[in-house]
Amino acid sequence: MDHKHNDAFPNNFLWGSASAAYQIEGGWNEEGKGPSVWDHFTRIPGNTFKGTNGDVAVDHYHHYKEDVALMAEMGLKAYRFSIAWSRIFPDGNGALNEQGIQFYERLIDELLGHEIEPIVTLYHWDLPQALQDQYGGWESRQIIEDFNRYCVTLFERFKDKVKYWVTLNEQNVFIRLGYEEAKHPPGVTDRKRMYEANHIANLANAKAIASFREIVPDGKIGPSFAYGPAYPYSNDPGDVLAAENAEEYLNGWWLDVYCDGEYPKTIWKYLEQRGLSPTLEEGDTALLKSGKPDFLGVNYYQTGTFAESPLNDVFQSSKENHDGKKGQFKESGIAGLFKRKRNNTLETTDWDWEIDPIGLRIGLRRITSRYRLPVMVTENGLGAFDKLEKNNVVQDDYRIDYIRQHIEQLQAAITDGVDLIGYCTWSFTDLLSWLNGYQKRYGFIYVDRDETDEKDLRRVKKKSFDWYRTVIATNGGNL
Ligand code: BG6
């Protein structure tokens, strides 16, 4: 659809950038913080690229004032960050650690002092290890109460300072990688357990939102979903059906529950026939329906392209590209539902992620049509090898191109009728990529460290820093 003119970005549009506690903070055991499942998981040899962990990360815990000053210099309107649950409750559900909460209070005050809107993510994957040990974390319904208590503590403490909140970051990723593919903690490969844990996470999400309504009636809250819209590989109806299957199985399975409080019928039936559907207890559906979000957070990196897959299809377990050497894509899928193909119309990053700005517009439109909710893009960005040149220069024109093309599609989506409230790039500073070490960089700010050497953790503005500053200053007028 070509428009005669594009609408301008709204005046109060939240031009932002994002991060997550484990990936930036460091200070892993400071000021009373308890260990998280990631502190534990990264210590097991072979789990992460070159054994990297977030013990120091980019030491934001001690550099937060400098980092916020850089955000202010850039003119950032919003900054999305996550709170580490085990800083607030070191053992997950026992005594409150006042020092931990004070760190975030200082950060929030620093942001507000520079007129930067804080967007707080309550859970970005770093579950207190104590809860994993006590009752198996997301596999026990006890977590619904414990997560609620943690969230309510933060709502009450920060309700006058923080308007925008994100509940769970990418539930579809941490549950699938944690319980199906064993690439994230707790390292399980069991689909029945995955669907049970996922259902419990849905209930925890809904309960936290329902509590929020009582405590922060004028605030806005929603989950952030890793949305990869599904495309058919060809116009063969078998491929089109496979793409429908993928859209429901990989996206609707979460989005329908968040937005409507119900699972999609087709996938429910598919899982039920195989003994995989989760246990629905009395009151679950009512709870899910009571926790509808104000907006949907969308983390967008790529689309997926799907072809028909017969029931006797066999897939090798996919080798993932964690070293940035292009060309490691392998077909994966679920026999009888879909198989994922390379989309040869699209370029890829060095980590084989397909680059598809129009896919962002398509995704935002699907959400708008199906759920009629406002959307905030809570993550979008390019992981790339950056080179620190002499005189503190990083020429990341490829990142500028990537973000520009995505912002153009945002504007087209707004013109299509999407109610878009903000855009957070991933990420503000360079940070630890969970499974890919420090060499897969996303930031506007280069942080001088690598996998083996923490160096001086110096902050260096990349070329994209000045470019995004102009985008914000012109409210998207000058791309
Ligand atoms: C999202 C996560 O999945 O993608 C981020 O919310 C993550 O935490 C980002 O860093 C990029 O993924 P990766 O694997 O390149 O670090």
Side-chain angles (χ1 to χ4, degrees), residues 100-115:
I101 212 162
Q102 277 176 13
F103 167 70
Y104 295 107
E105 184 130 51
R106 289 195 298 274
L107 172 61
I108 290 166
D109 288 344
E110 196 71 19
L111 290 166
L112 293 174
H114 288 93
E115 294 179 14

Side-chain angles (χ1 to χ4, degrees), residues 20 23 124-125 169-170 173 299 301 353 379 426 431-436 440 442:
Q23 296 179 273
H124 202 125
W125 306 353
N169 179 71
E170 298 190 351
V173 171
N299 293 357
Y301 292 91
W353 292 22
E379 283 181 33
W426 187 262
L431 41 68
L432 172 67
S433 170
W434 305 89
L435 302 180
N436 312 293
K440 189 180 187 188
Y442 280 92

Side-chain angles (χ1 to χ4, degrees), residues 99-169:
Q99 278 184 303
I101 212 162
Q102 277 176 13
F103 167 70
Y104 295 107
E105 184 130 51
R106 289 195 298 274
L107 172 61
I108 290 166
D109 288 344
E110 196 71 19
L111 290 166
L112 293 174
H114 288 93
E115 294 179 14
I116 300 168
E117 187 81 51
I119 302 171
V120 171
T121 305
L122 291 154
Y123 184 79
H124 202 125
W125 306 353
D126 44 358
L127 181 76
Q129 178 64 35
L131 299 185
Q132 192 63 43
D133 297 339
Q134 269 180 48
Y135 51 65
W138 291 106
E139 291 189 81
S140 163
R141 283 183 178 240
Q142 178 61 41
I143 201 168
I144 302 167
E145 283 310 319
D146 290 343
F147 182 63
N148 188 56
R149 176 171 174 239
Y150 157 70
C151 292
V152 164
T153 303
L154 296 173
F155 296 154
E156 277 172 350
R157 183 74 171 239
F158 296 131
K159 64 182 171 200
D160 297 327
K161 297 185 175 183
V162 178
K163 181 170 177 201
Y164 293 96
W165 299 76
V166 171
T167 48
L168 303 179
N169 179 71

